[in-house]
Amino acid sequence: MPDSEVVFRVSRYRPESGGRPTFQEYRIPYRSDMVVLDGLNYIKDHLDPTLTFRWSCRMGICGSCGADVNGRPRLTCGTYIRDMRKGAVTVEPLSNFPILKDLVVDFDDFLDKLASVRPYIVRKDWGDLSKEYIQYPEDVDAYRQQSLCINCMLCYAACPVFGASPEFVGPAASALALRYIRDTRDEGGAERLARLNTKTGIWECTFVGECSVVCPKEVDPAAAIQTLKFLATTRHMRRLLMPGSASR
Amino acid sequence: MTVHEYPARRRRGWWLRNPRYLAFQLREAGGVVCALYGLILLNMLIQLRDGESAYAAFLNLLRTPPVLYLNVVLFALVLWHALTWFMLIGKAQPIQFTRQPLPWKVVFGINVLLWIGVSGAVVYLIFGGM
Amino acid sequence: MHADVAAPDEVLLEPVFWSLFSVGGFITAFLLPVMLFLIFFAAPFHLWPGDPAAYATFLAHWKEPLVRLFFFVLIGGSLFHGTHRLKFMLMDAGFKGPAAEALLDLILNGVAIFGSLGALYYALRGWLF
Ligand code: SF4
Ligand code: FES
């Protein structure tokens, strides 16, 4: 039972014709339990089937429904329309990314960055794979926070440094590097720090901190990057002062 | 059919769109102002070497009204830089003294108390008290 | 394959300057405000009995090694902190690319290093030589 109407201003971009993205307005019936994604789906089902956006789980876990809602990156499935400012709800594609169509942006470059920090357990020798690699609860606690990342890219959309230099490895990839560095089973720490101790790595970060504000999973990538700077520096100093030491 | 990707670009005036971005820019500016004061203090030592009249002229220049009021603004930026620095220490905590990280507001509070103590110590140890 | 994207070269100096920047951040945050207050505002705004920065007063204090150490640390810390911030502000404003960054490093790190050496010289002068 709709209580009233709400106006959605949605950014449209048509890849066939190019040009600049434009806004299109839709009026949709509104109930107080609706999230922004419900509004978009209403538009797609009833008003305009050409509107294109990504979503899958509707429960904040797949990370595909991110968009700038009223100027701030959010998961559209986790953002209630009633919590938005009164009046129109403005939905735009995530900032700082190339736009493919309407609200769909191009993440390919992130996948390369993610791969470059080796987001999986690295071991020099896997040895006997039938043996268990025991993890105690405190071992898991060490990386639990960073492991919650759902690759939603809201942190990249919030990062002005990434906006100015797209080659910056960025918040989520860094947080995931830390997640594996902190894993007691992992042996790839030095390799990851070597990747991050580069011009396009963690040193570009100026600790704006907005990534941690917008992250829907409280991964706190900003703090992760500062920790990585500290780890990379200690590793670097050790190598400068003791060039022969075992850590490469 | 050719398909055009709309290129990524940062919005113009991005730092005016969100008060936290503005706070960040002011913090960065405050950091740069610190370097400016570093040079001014260095110059103060040079004037000190050059004797009383040079030193007094330098100090008076710093205290002429236009420079003085500019200093008030720059001083506000330095204060903002200091306060945000204490916040950042709480938010990053690369070195932890406790098993679980402390809430950032606690770290901020400890730092501010420490700051007041250090400032008092500077007044007495460096400038010989009131 | 994604996983074998060639890793970019490691940087050698940035960790060093970042460390100095961080140490400088602590130094400026803790020491600079009280210092500026005493030198610039205490006397002109009548917020303090006497003038802590007056020539005779300051010269008397300047004899002490602790005071000299304080000024050296404060000047060096502010310079390394502020020039690093300025470098990243300028890079953000579009001053990017290998040549531009090399120039920024040269000028800004140069100011920080020579400024600190200058402060060290004055801190030791009349005391060691
Ligand atoms: S760190 Fe947070 S905001 Fe960034 S991709 Fe992961 S879950 Fe999303
Ligand atoms: S639809 Fe899966 S996170 Fe929103």
Side-chain angles (χ1 to χ4, degrees), chain A residues 37 55-65 75 77 150:
Chain A
L37 180 62
W55 62 281
S56 172
C57 71
R58 291 185 296 155
M59 52 188 282
I61 206 65
C62 73
S64 60
C65 68
L75 294 181
C77 73
I150 57 173

Side-chain angles (χ1 to χ4, degrees), chain A residues 148-156 171-172 175 211 214-217 219 221:
Chain A
L148 296 175
C149 174
I150 57 173
N151 294 0
C152 65
M153 302 291 97
L154 301 197
C155 50
Y156 285 75
C211 51
V214 302
C215 175
K217 296 288 158 187
V219 171

